[in-house]
Amino acid sequence: MKKEVTTLKKLAQTLELSISTVSRALNDHPDISIDTKEKVKALALKLNYVPNIFAKGFRKHRSNIIGVIVPNITHYFTTTIVRGIVEEAESKGFRVIISESNNDIEKQKEMFNTMIQFGVDGILASLTKRTREVDHILATLNNIPIVLFDKVSNKIPCTQITINDEEAAYNIVEHLINIGKKRIAIIKESEYSYNSEKRYSGYLKALKEHDIALDPKMVISVEDISIKEGKRMTNILLSSKERPDAIFAITDGAAIGVIQTLNKFNVKIPEDIAVVGFSNSVYSTIIEPKLTTVDQPGEKIGRTAVKYLINEINLPEDNITNKLVEIKSNIVIRDSSFKS
C-alpha cells in the first residue's frame, strides 16, 4: 500500500484552515495567533509533515541550497574542505548537495546542469584535472554564482579560493636549501594543472634566488601524481649518474611513494636524500621517517568559499567578484628532512 505524503493542503483540510494560514503558522508569522500556531505545529508533528523545500524555494525564488562539485570525495584534503563547507553553510541556514565528477569532464558538465535543475542558489566547484573547455561553466555562471576552490581556472571570471601554492612551494624548497641540499628534484604533474604549475613556479623561484642552476633531469613530470608514480619516478632518479640529494613531490601521495622506494634501497633519509611533500595528509605521520610537508588548511578553504558564495547569492548584482583569494599555509618539518 502506497504511503500518503502529508501536504500543506491536508493539514489545512484537517484543521479547517486556509493553506496560506497553515503555511504562515509553520513559519511563525506574527499575524497568526499563538493558539493557531500550536495547533498547526502539533498536527504537523503528528502527521510527520516535511516541507517541500523545492516548492518553497520556487515561491521565494530561493532554495537555500548550495551545490558542491568535487573530483574525488574520498581524497583526504577534499574531505577537510567539504567539512568546512557543510559546517559553514549550515550555520548560515543553507543545505548542501555534494556530487563527485571522478575527474571526468563529461560527468562534470552533467553535474553543473544537474545543479541548475535542482534549483541551487549557487555552486562551489573544484574542477577536474582535464578541464580545458569551460563553456558549460560560463553558461552556468550566467544563471547563478559560482565560486571555485582548490582546482581552479583562470579562464573563468569568478571568485577562486586556493592556498598560496607558489609561496608554499618556495618555502619548502628553501627549507631544503637551508639544510644544505643543492640537487633538488621535483615530481609534478605533466598535464596542465593550476596547482602543479604554481608549485613548480615556487620551486624554480627558490632555486633562482639561491643561485642554484636548474637541471632539467631533476624535473620529473607524471600524468597521475600518486604513490605508484612516486615509486616509479624515484627508481628513475636513483638510476641517474648524479642522484638528487632531495626530492620535492607536489603531493603527499607521491612523496610517500618516494620514501617507500628509498627505504627499499636502504637510502638514508634525510642524510643522503631528504624528502618533502605537500598536503599534510594523515599518511604523512604514518610513514617512516615521518614526512615534512605543507599543511593545507582545508576547512578554512571550505568556510571561506561558502562566505564568498553566500555574499554573491545575497547581493547578486553588486557583489559578483573576479578575484583570487589565497589562504596562507605553513610547513610542518618532520624527520624526512630534519635530524635532531
Side-chain angles (χ1 to χ4, degrees):
M1 182 178 179
K2 186 176 180 180
K3 292 183 178 179
E4 184 179 355
V5 177
T6 301
T7 62
L8 278 177
K9 184 177 180 180
K10 182 175 181 180
L11 294 177
Q13 289 175 338
T14 303
L15 294 169
E16 298 183 341
L17 296 171
S18 69
I19 292 174
S20 63
T21 297
V22 170
S23 176
R24 287 183 294 165
L26 289 170
N27 286 288
D28 285 317
H29 196 284
D31 290 348
I32 306 300
S33 69
I34 294 174
D35 181 59
T36 300
K37 288 179 183 177
E38 288 178 351
K39 287 180 180 177
V40 170
K41 290 179 180 179
L43 182 62
L45 182 64
K46 180 181 177 182
L47 298 181
N48 296 314
Y49 169 73
V50 178
N52 185 325
I53 59 174
F54 292 104
K56 187 176 181 180
F58 179 77
R59 290 192 296 272
K60 293 184 176 182
H61 304 288
R62 285 277 292 271
S63 64
N64 275 38
I65 299 174
I66 291 172
V68 179
I69 302 171
V70 295
N72 185 345
I73 195 66
T74 62
H75 190 280
Y76 173 76
F77 180 50
T78 303
T79 62
T80 64
I81 295 176
V82 169
R83 187 183 306 122
I85 288 172
V86 171
E87 289 178 359
E88 184 66 26
E90 289 182 348
S91 74
K92 298 294 190 294
F94 283 77
R95 296 175 177 84
V96 176
I97 296 175
I98 302 169
S99 62
E100 184 179 36
S101 68
N102 289 318
N103 267 315
D104 182 317
I105 186 64
E106 292 304 318
K107 190 167 184 182
Q108 178 176 274
K109 290 179 182 179
E110 179 187 324
M111 290 299 99
F112 273 95
N113 290 332
T114 299
M115 291 300 178
I116 290 288
Q117 292 167 1
F118 279 170
V120 300
D121 293 329
I123 295 174
L124 297 173
S126 180
L127 304 178
T128 72
K129 292 179 183 178
R130 295 168 179 81
T131 301
R132 303 289 183 272
E133 181 271 308
V134 297
D135 287 350
H136 64 291
I137 302 173
L138 296 176
T140 304
L141 190 58
N142 286 331
N143 292 293
I144 57 174
I146 296 173
V147 169
L148 300 181
F149 64 91
D150 188 32
K151 305 290 188 294
V152 301
S153 169
N154 53 21
K155 296 179 181 178
I156 304 167
C158 67
T159 300
Q160 314 202 20
I161 317 294
T162 68
I163 71 157
N164 55 332
D165 282 291
E166 184 173 337
E167 182 184 3
Y170 174 93
N171 290 339
I172 205 162
V173 173
E174 186 176 57
H175 160 68
L176 292 171
I177 295 168
N178 288 340
I179 63 171
K181 303 300 182 179
K182 300 293 183 184
R183 287 185 57 76
I184 303 169
I186 182 171
I187 300 176
K188 67 180 190 69
E189 289 181 295
S190 55
E191 288 195 66
Y192 175 77
S193 158
Y194 179 90
N195 309 75
S196 179
E197 292 304 306
K198 283 287 187 179
R199 293 170 197 180
Y200 182 49
S201 294
Y203 164 83
L204 293 175
K205 184 178 178 182
L207 295 186
K208 183 177 180 180
E209 291 192 4
H210 289 271
D211 297 318
I212 298 174
L214 174 67
D215 182 349
K217 294 191 292 294
M218 293 292 102
V219 179
I220 307 295
S221 298
V222 296
E223 183 175 336
D224 178 29
I225 194 82
S226 61
I227 292 177
K228 181 180 178 181
E229 287 298 276
K231 290 179 178 180
R232 190 169 72 88
M233 293 302 107
T234 305
N235 280 318
I236 292 172
L237 288 168
L238 290 178
S239 66
S240 61
K241 287 183 179 179
E242 294 185 75
R243 288 182 172 185
D245 57 13
I247 300 174
F248 168 37
I250 68 159
T251 69
D252 279 0
I256 286 164
V258 172
I259 289 177
Q260 288 175 339
T261 302
L262 295 179
N263 285 339
K264 177 182 176 182
F265 291 104
N266 298 314
V267 176
K268 293 180 181 178
I269 308 170
E271 294 90 345
D272 295 338
I273 300 179
V275 183
V276 297
F278 208 107
S279 188
N280 199 26
S281 67
V282 290
Y283 304 107
S284 62
T285 57
I286 296 172
I287 193 74
E288 285 295 335
K290 292 180 173 60
L291 178 65
T292 292
T293 185
V294 174
D295 181 38
Q296 299 185 93
E299 287 193 33
K300 187 174 182 180
I301 291 172
R303 291 181 183 278
T304 302
V306 170
K307 288 174 183 176
Y308 273 92
L309 184 64
I310 290 176
N311 282 341
E312 295 188 15
I313 290 169
N314 290 335
L315 298 168
E317 293 181 3
D318 303 326
N319 225 36
I320 299 299
T321 60
N322 177 16
K323 62 181 176 182
L324 178 66
V325 179
E326 291 190 336
I327 306 297
K328 292 288 184 182
S329 59
N330 62 283
I331 300 173
V332 180
I333 298 174
R334 300 193 180 104
D335 293 342
S336 70
S337 70
F338 177 77
K339 283 292 184 183
S340 56

